[in-house]
Amino acid sequence: MTVEKMALSKALNAALRASLESDPKTLVMGEDVGKLGGVFRITDGLQKDFGEERVVDTPLAESGIVGTAIGLALRGYRPVVEIQFDGFVFPAYDQIVTQLAKMHARALGTIKLPVVIRIPFGGGIGAVEHHSESPEALFTHVAGLKCVTPANPSDAYWMLRQAIECDDPVIFFEPKARYWDKGEVDREGIPDGLHSAKVVRQGSDLTLLAYGPTVRTALLAATAAEEEGRSVEVVDLRSLSPIDFDTVQRSVEKTRRLVVVHEAPVFQGVGAEVAARITERCFYHLEAPVLRVGGFHTPYPAARLEDEYLPGLDRVLDGVDRALAY
Amino acid sequence: MTVASTSRDASRSTTTQQSTAREPDAAPGTSPPAPAKRAPAKRAQAKQTPARKAQAKKAPAKKAPAGKSAAGKRSAKTKPADGPGMVQLLTPDGERLEHPDYPLTISHDELRALYRDMVLSRRFDAEATALQRQGELGLWPSMLGQEAAQIGSGRALRETDYVFPTYREHGVAWCRGVDPTQLLGMFRGVNHGGWDPNSNNFHLYTIVIGSQTLHAAGYAMGVAKDGADAAVVAYFGDGASSQGDVAEAFTFAAVYNAPVVFFCQNNQWAISEPTERQTRVPLYQRALGYGFPGLRVDGNDVLAVLAATRVAAEQARSGQGPVLIEAYTYRMGAHTTSDDPTRYRRQEELESWEAKDPILRLRRHLDREGAADETFHAELEAESDALAKRVRESIRTMPDPEAMAMFEHVYADGHTLVDEERAAYADYLASFADQEGN
C-alpha cells in the first residue's frame, strides 16, 4: 500500500528521510534538529539513522546556520536548514537576502545554491512573542528566492521533496498550526508542479484564495457559506514565488469574485500582489473589487488576542458577504 | 610544526623578541609606530612588556590629539595594544630574521617571484585607481600597502585550497590566477561579480563585510565532510571583525573543527573608523575565546606572511581546525576612491607606514642578497607597463551588458514572473524598433 494517512509533521519527516536516502549530498541543519528531533519533532529520528554528519545540530546562530549552508552548497551539498520559528529568521535575513538570493546571478549562473530554508510560520498555537508571525512577503519581494507553503500532508511531503531537488534557494514555509492535521499521502504518486496553485474545492459564486494555514479556514468558510446557498470555490495558492496566476485567473473568470485570505498583515502582503495582478488580468470579468482578509498593521498580538487578529471563519465569511454585496 | 596557541605564543614571543633583540617597528631608521603616538592610554602601558616599554621610551610621547578626538569620551580608555609576538622575518630595512615557529627556506628565484607579484599587483591597482579617476570605473578599493599581506598569503596556498575574499583582495586574486581584468567588471558596473568561483577556487568579491567568513566556514565544513586535503581561507578586515557574522563564523569553524584560516588584514582603518573603534584587544587574541590559535604577523613582511600562512593552512589541512591570522598592515590609500583619508588620519601616520612599505622592504632584501640585477628590474618594469596597458585596453573595450542580461541567471531553474517580465520588456524594446521602421 503506497497511500498512507499521516499528520503533516510526519509527512515532512518522511520527505526529509526520503531526500536524505536518495542523495548523500543532502544535509539537514538547524538548532535542536538532532537528538531532540526539532522543537516540533519534524526531524525526529533522522540523526539516529543518518548520523551527525548528515543531520547537523548547529550553534544557536541563525546567520551562521544560513551562511554556512551557503558555503556547504558551494561545496556541492544540498543543505535543508531549519529555522526554529518565524520570528527567529531575521538574524539570518541578511545572509538570505544579500547572499543566498543573489549569488547565482552574481556568478553569471556558474554556481547553484540549492538551499532549502524551512520556517514554521503562522499563529494560532498560543505562543509567546516572535513565535507566530507570517513574514512571507519579506521573502517573496526578493528576486532569487522561491517561496512555497503546503497546506496538507500530501503537499507537505511532495513539495518539500521538490524544494530539496530544486537548484534554487527555496524558503519553505510550514503552517505550524496544521502540523497535526492528518491526510493521505501517496509516496509513489505523481506530485503537482511545485509552483502550481490548485483548486481544492469547486464553486461558482466566488473564489477564496488562501495558502498554508488559511486553506483549512477557507474550506470551512466555503462549507458554511454553502449552507447559506452560496457556492464558494477555494484555491490553494501553494507557491508564493512564483505565483501561478493562470490558475487563479481561470477561477476568477468563472466566479467573478475574489477574496484573498492570509494571516500576514494585508498591507503590502501577498494578497496585495494577487489583487493587483488579478485586477489587471480579469478587469472585465470582475463583479467586485478583489478583497483581502488578513492580519492587521500591528505587531502580532499577545496570544490571548490572536483569535481577534487571525482571519477566522467569521471574518472570512464577512469578506465573502462584502464581495457578494457589489 | 604547529601554530602557537595564543597563550603559548604570548610567553614564547617575549623570548623571541629578546633573541632577535628587535621588535618590528623598532628597527633602526623607521619612525615609531603610529598607534603608539595615538594612544597615551595608561592601562595599556601598564600591561606593556619590557620590550614595549623600552620602545615607548624611544618614541617619546608626543601629545596625541588625534587619538583623543578619534576615540572620544564614549570609547574605552584602553586602545588595542600591539601585543607581543608579531611574526617578522624581514625588517623594514630588508634584513632577514628567523622565527623558531615559522621557518622559511627560500631561494633567490622565489624571492624574485614574490617581488614580481607585488610589483605587478601594485601596478594593476594603481592603474585601476587611475581608471576610476578617468571615469572608467565607478569605484575602486585600492590595496596599496597591503601587497605583502595578500601576495604572501596567496602564494602560501595550494591550487586545491579555496579562497573567500572581501572586495579588496586584488593581490590574492592575482595569486589564484584570476585575470585582473575580471576584477574590474563589478567596479565598472557591467556585473556584480562575473567570474566562476570554481575555476580558480576564488569566490566572488563580497561587499557586505564579514558575510563571506560564514561561507568559508561552511565550505570548510564541507571539505571536512569530504575528507579532502584542502584549506579554506577567509579574508576580512579589522572593521569586519566587529560584525556578528565573523563571530558566528569563528563559532561554527571552532565547534566543527573546520579547516579554515581566518585571515584578517588589519589595515588600521575601516573607512574613517580606527581599529580602536572595533576592539580593545589585539584582534588575533579573539581566537583564544573561540578555542583556536591566533597569531599576529607583520603584514608588510611578505616572507613572514608566507611562512605563517603556510603553517596555518597546513594545520587546517591536517585536521587541526581553524586558525586566525591577523596581518598587521596599513591601507596607504583611501578606503575607496570615494573617500578622503586626509579628513580622518594624519600625514605623519601615513609617512611612518610608507617607511615600512612592503615592496621597498623586499627590494632592500633583494639588494642585500644580490638576488636581483638591473636586468630583472628593467624587465619587470616593462612587464608592469605592459600589464597596465592591457588593463587600460580591456576596460575600454569591455562591452556594456545587453539590456536583457538583467533577466538572466536570476534563477537556476527559471521563474515565471521573470520570464513574463523578460518577455514584456523585450516587446517594449522592440516597439521602438518598429517605430523606427526597423
Side-chain angles (χ1 to χ4, degrees):
Chain A
M1 190 183 85
T2 60
V3 180
E4 270 180 84
K5 193 162 187 179
M6 64 175 82
L8 192 148
S9 58
K10 295 285 180 203
L12 293 169
N13 180 277
L16 290 170
R17 179 174 289 277
S19 294
L20 284 163
E21 272 166 3
S22 68
D23 180 1
K25 291 290 187 183
T26 300
L27 306 173
V28 170
M29 298 170 64
E31 298 164 7
D32 307 305
V33 298
K35 284 198 178 71
L36 182 67
V39 291
F40 289 106
R41 309 292 182 267
I42 307 301
T43 56
D44 190 26
L46 297 179
Q47 191 181 66
K48 184 171 146 284
D49 295 339
F50 295 95
E52 293 181 11
E53 287 291 315
R54 307 278 314 278
V55 181
V56 185
D57 270 323
T58 65
L60 272 69
E62 283 78 10
S63 188
I65 295 169
V66 174
T68 53
I70 291 170
L72 282 157
L74 292 171
R75 182 71 193 180
Y77 287 87
R78 302 183 91 85
V80 186
V81 162
E82 177 172 305
I83 299 292
Q84 208 155 58
F85 282 94
D86 34 59
F88 302 171
V89 74
F90 298 109
Y93 195 66
D94 167 56
Q95 280 289 343
I96 295 171
V97 171
T98 69
Q99 307 298 320
L100 181 62
K102 296 179 168 70
M103 214 174 268
H104 174 74
R106 295 185 58 227
L108 303 183
T110 56
I111 51 171
K112 291 172 179 171
L113 278 301
V115 177
V116 175
I117 299 178
R118 296 177 37 239
I119 307 177
F121 84 127
I125 62 165
V128 296
E129 194 183 16
H130 311 307
H131 289 67
S132 304
E133 297 172 14
S134 298
E136 58 270 21
L138 297 169
F139 294 91
T140 55
H141 196 64
V142 179
L145 303 176
K146 291 176 173 175
C147 304
V148 300
T149 176
N152 60 63
S154 178
D155 277 351
Y157 178 82
W158 283 113
M159 289 172 73
L160 184 52
R161 292 214 61 188
Q162 290 166 306
I164 294 168
E165 282 169 14
C166 178
D167 281 334
D168 289 308
V170 180
I171 314 294
F172 192 89
F173 290 102
E174 299 175 0
K176 71 168 87 77
R178 305 289 178 247
Y179 273 147
W180 304 279
D181 286 9
K182 287 192 172 172
E184 287 186 342
V185 178
D186 181 357
R187 282 194 260 179
E188 284 167 25
I190 296 166
D192 296 310
L194 180 59
H195 299 294
S196 62
K198 198 172 178 183
V199 178
V200 290
R201 180 190 165 109
Q202 297 284 339
S204 54
D205 296 339
L206 178 142
T207 299
L208 274 180
L209 180 73
Y211 57 80
T214 54
V215 173
R216 189 174 76 177
T217 316
L219 286 167
L220 290 171
T223 304
E226 191 176 28
E227 288 167 15
E228 297 166 7
R230 287 160 174 176
S231 172
V232 172
E233 180 148 305
V234 178
V235 176
D236 178 357
L237 198 55
R238 297 173 81 250
S239 176
L240 311 181
S241 177
I243 288 177
D244 173 12
F245 288 109
D246 291 346
T247 297
V248 184
Q249 180 178 350
R250 274 194 298 275
S251 176
V252 172
E253 284 176 358
K254 182 171 84 170
T255 66
R256 295 177 173 254
R257 288 178 170 84
L258 177 63
V259 176
V260 186
V261 184
H262 55 57
E263 292 189 10
V266 295
F267 182 69
Q268 302 200 347
V270 171
E273 179 62 35
V274 171
R277 294 264 170 183
I278 291 302
T279 301
E280 198 176 316
R281 284 176 174 230
C282 306
F283 188 70
Y284 293 109
H285 289 88
L286 285 167
E287 298 285 347
V290 179
L291 299 183
R292 290 166 288 161
V293 179
F296 305 113
H297 195 57
T298 66
Y300 191 87
R304 296 284 178 178
L305 281 176
E306 68 179 342
D307 285 347
E308 303 293 327
Y309 176 92
L310 292 170
L313 191 57
D314 289 337
R315 279 179 56 207
V316 174
L317 288 170
D318 176 65
V320 169
D321 289 345
R322 284 189 287 127
L324 285 165
Y326 279 90
Chain B
M1 177 58 57
T2 59
V3 175
S5 76
T6 311
S7 54
R8 284 158 53 218
D9 191 35
S11 58
R12 180 164 39 217
S13 56
T14 312
T15 356
T16 306
Q17 279 172 14
Q18 285 163 352
S19 69
T20 59
R22 178 165 293 160
E23 172 147 347
D25 293 327
T30 62
S31 308
K37 283 190 203 168
R38 264 213 322 273
K42 284 179 183 167
R43 284 173 59 192
Q45 284 181 357
K47 287 181 184 169
Q48 281 175 341
T49 61
R52 277 308 281 178
K53 275 187 188 162
Q55 189 199 333
K57 274 185 195 163
K58 264 198 277 178
K62 286 186 185 177
K63 274 281 184 182
K68 271 185 185 170
S69 62
K73 285 188 174 174
R74 284 175 295 137
S75 290
K77 285 284 191 283
T78 50
K79 70 176 285 290
D82 282 1
M86 181 145 79
V87 180
Q88 192 183 57
L89 297 182
L90 272 186
T91 68
D93 279 347
E95 187 191 338
R96 184 63 201 273
L97 307 175
E98 294 299 331
H99 192 292
D101 296 326
Y102 306 100
L104 186 72
T105 307
I106 190 160
S107 69
H108 285 184
D109 277 354
E110 290 167 319
L111 286 174
R112 282 194 300 273
L114 291 171
Y115 185 76
R116 174 181 172 273
D117 286 336
M118 290 204 287
V119 167
L120 291 177
S121 58
R122 176 173 290 187
R123 183 57 180 270
F124 163 70
D125 185 71
E127 203 58 35
T129 304
L131 286 166
Q132 194 281 333
R133 295 302 187 220
Q134 293 162 24
E136 300 286 352
L137 300 177
L139 182 80
W140 184 250
S142 171
M143 61 169 282
L144 182 65
Q146 296 177 227
E147 293 85 357
Q150 298 200 8
I151 300 299
S153 58
R155 286 297 177 208
L157 304 180
R158 296 180 189 164
E159 204 174 314
T160 45
D161 296 334
Y162 208 99
V163 169
F164 286 84
T166 173
Y167 44 77
R168 201 189 296 282
E169 271 65 74
H170 321 314
V172 184
W174 172 268
C175 295
R176 300 305 291 174
V178 177
D179 190 301
T181 60
Q182 284 211 283
L183 306 177
L184 300 175
M186 71 185 295
F187 298 104
R188 186 170 172 81
V190 304
N191 57 45
H192 291 309
W195 62 84
D196 176 358
N198 292 325
S199 60
N200 297 85
N201 282 5
F202 184 78
H203 192 66
L204 303 166
Y205 276 1
T206 304
I207 302 282
V208 178
I209 62 171
S211 293
Q212 75 283 357
T213 59
L214 277 170
H215 309 156
Y219 193 95
M221 287 160 63
V223 167
K225 284 182 193 301
D226 296 342
D229 182 23
V232 181
V233 185
Y235 287 86
F236 61 105
D238 44 310
S241 74
S242 298
Q243 287 279 353
D245 275 3
V246 173
E248 295 189 19
F250 286 0
T251 297
F252 275 70
V255 302
Y256 296 115
N257 205 43
V260 56
V261 177
F262 293 106
F263 194 91
C264 176
Q265 287 173 85
N266 178 355
N267 69 11
Q268 313 301 325
W269 292 94
I271 309 190
S272 71
E273 307 283 1
T275 307
E276 54 261 40
R277 265 294 156 103
Q278 317 298 336
T279 181
R280 59 189 282 180
V281 300
L283 288 171
Y284 75 96
Q285 290 182 2
R286 294 258 177 100
L288 182 65
Y290 293 88
F292 56 85
L295 66 122
R296 175 180 274 182
V297 61
D298 185 335
N300 285 21
D301 171 355
V302 69
L303 299 188
V305 176
L306 177 71
T309 312
R310 271 185 187 161
V311 170
E314 189 45 42
Q315 179 160 338
R317 288 186 208 106
S318 64
Q320 297 174 69
V323 181
L324 169 62
I325 296 176
E326 177 190 2
Y328 200 78
T329 183
Y330 194 72
R331 180 246 291 161
M332 297 201 315
H335 165 69
T336 69
T337 44
S338 293
D339 79 324
D340 173 9
T342 64
R343 294 176 74 111
Y344 55 80
R345 69 184 189 190
R346 293 167 303 129
Q347 183 63 21
E348 308 91 84
E349 178 185 308
L350 177 62
E351 285 166 7
S352 78
W353 280 93
E354 280 171 344
K356 291 181 276 190
D357 184 307
I359 295 185
L360 202 57
R361 186 181 305 199
L362 188 57
R363 173 70 190 250
R364 287 175 178 144
H365 183 61
L366 290 175
D367 291 347
R368 278 172 183 266
E369 293 276 302
D373 57 16
E374 281 314 308
T375 314
F376 167 77
H377 289 297
E379 282 173 4
L380 181 55
E381 194 170 332
E383 195 181 2
S384 271
D385 290 343
L387 173 66
K389 184 163 180 278
R390 181 163 77 85
V391 167
R392 278 195 302 276
E393 283 170 359
S394 80
I395 206 76
R396 287 174 181 145
T397 55
M398 190 180 282
D400 283 349
E402 296 291 324
M404 302 311 287
M406 63 185 150
F407 299 103
E408 299 306 317
H409 310 304
V410 185
Y411 293 90
D413 288 349
H415 189 287
T416 51
L417 178 61
V418 179
D419 295 344
E420 194 181 301
E421 291 182 346
R422 179 199 286 118
Y425 196 61
D427 285 350
Y428 169 76
L429 292 179
S431 71
F432 290 99
D434 291 345
Q435 283 167 16
E436 289 159 13
N438 294 322

